Amino acid sequence: MMSSFQAERVRLSKSLACLLHALQGSCTTIELRSEITVRGRVHHVESCMNIVVTEATSTKLNGESSHFEQMFIRGAQIRYVHIPDEVDVMATIVKQTAILTKPRVPREAMYQRQRVSRSKLERIREEREMARSFKLGRGRARHQLQPLGGPTTAGQTT
């Protein structure tokens, strides 16, 4: 079963909405069916061409304009999107399609790469436990500690 995120990627890769997806972060002009022109920075694009524009200025046909910090435009209301001159349309479509159709690594495969042998895992756990107990002051037992001068026997004098 495909997640909604994967379905969104598939729909984007099979339509010209992938071109709009590549415009994220750039300024463009969008003409709406209601004769309103919106100019702003493309923030987000969905597969059904819904667009979120930031720093948007909408201008009506009579010249009246309004400024919005953020504006949501339904894909069904879009008549035309001006593509900036610096965007190579074909190269952008090919690049975005490659990005969107690139196979994603399943989680199971990632976990298989990270598996370690059981004995190595047990050794790592023991080392962590020793480090934790040492930090808490429960390091070596007193009988394991040796004096700074080294071991002494009953007959030796220092």
Side-chain angles (χ1 to χ4, degrees):
M1 182 159 185
M2 198 180 294
S3 71
S4 63
F5 177 72
Q6 291 170 328
E8 178 90 6
R9 286 174 60 99
V10 168
R11 282 193 300 268
L12 267 173
S13 68
K14 293 183 177 186
S15 70
L16 284 178
C18 70
L19 179 61
L20 296 178
H21 194 265
L23 292 178
Q24 288 184 13
S26 62
C27 283
T28 190
T29 304
I30 302 167
E31 293 180 15
L32 305 180
R33 289 181 168 186
S34 58
E35 303 295 330
I36 295 175
T37 304
V38 178
R39 175 138 182 91
R41 187 169 306 278
V42 178
H43 179 69
H44 180 73
V45 178
E46 296 174 4
S47 61
C48 52
M49 288 183 52
N50 293 338
I51 300 176
V52 176
V53 181
T54 57
E55 304 164 14
T57 304
S58 71
T59 309
K60 293 183 180 177
L61 197 56
N62 63 3
E64 180 184 328
S65 65
S66 304
H67 183 73
F68 300 97
E69 187 176 310
Q70 191 172 26
M71 182 179 219
F72 178 83
I73 302 171
R74 282 191 57 224
Q77 297 302 314
I78 297 174
R79 176 181 292 157
Y80 187 79
V81 177
H82 295 264
I83 307 296
D85 291 335
E86 63 268 6
V87 175
D88 181 9
V89 176
M90 281 307 295
T92 303
I93 291 173
V94 169
K95 180 180 172 184
Q96 281 298 116
T97 304
I99 290 170
L100 293 169
T101 57
K102 181 175 77 171
R104 297 178 59 96
V105 178
R107 284 191 179 196
E108 297 81 27
M110 285 193 307
Y111 292 137
Q112 285 175 352
R113 289 184 205 149
Q114 296 174 356
R115 285 200 178 138
V116 220
S117 68
R118 181 171 278 176
S119 61
K120 189 174 182 180
L121 187 61
E122 288 173 3
R123 185 176 49 84
I124 291 170
R125 285 182 184 155
E126 288 173 6
E127 289 174 359
R128 285 183 183 164
E129 184 59 36
M130 286 181 64
R132 256 191 238 121
S133 65
F134 190 73
K135 285 181 184 175
L136 295 174
R138 295 179 294 204
R140 296 180 183 163
R142 290 184 186 220
H143 66 278
Q144 293 176 333
L145 295 176
Q146 297 178 2
L148 293 175
T152 58
T153 59
Q156 286 184 331
T157 59
T158 54

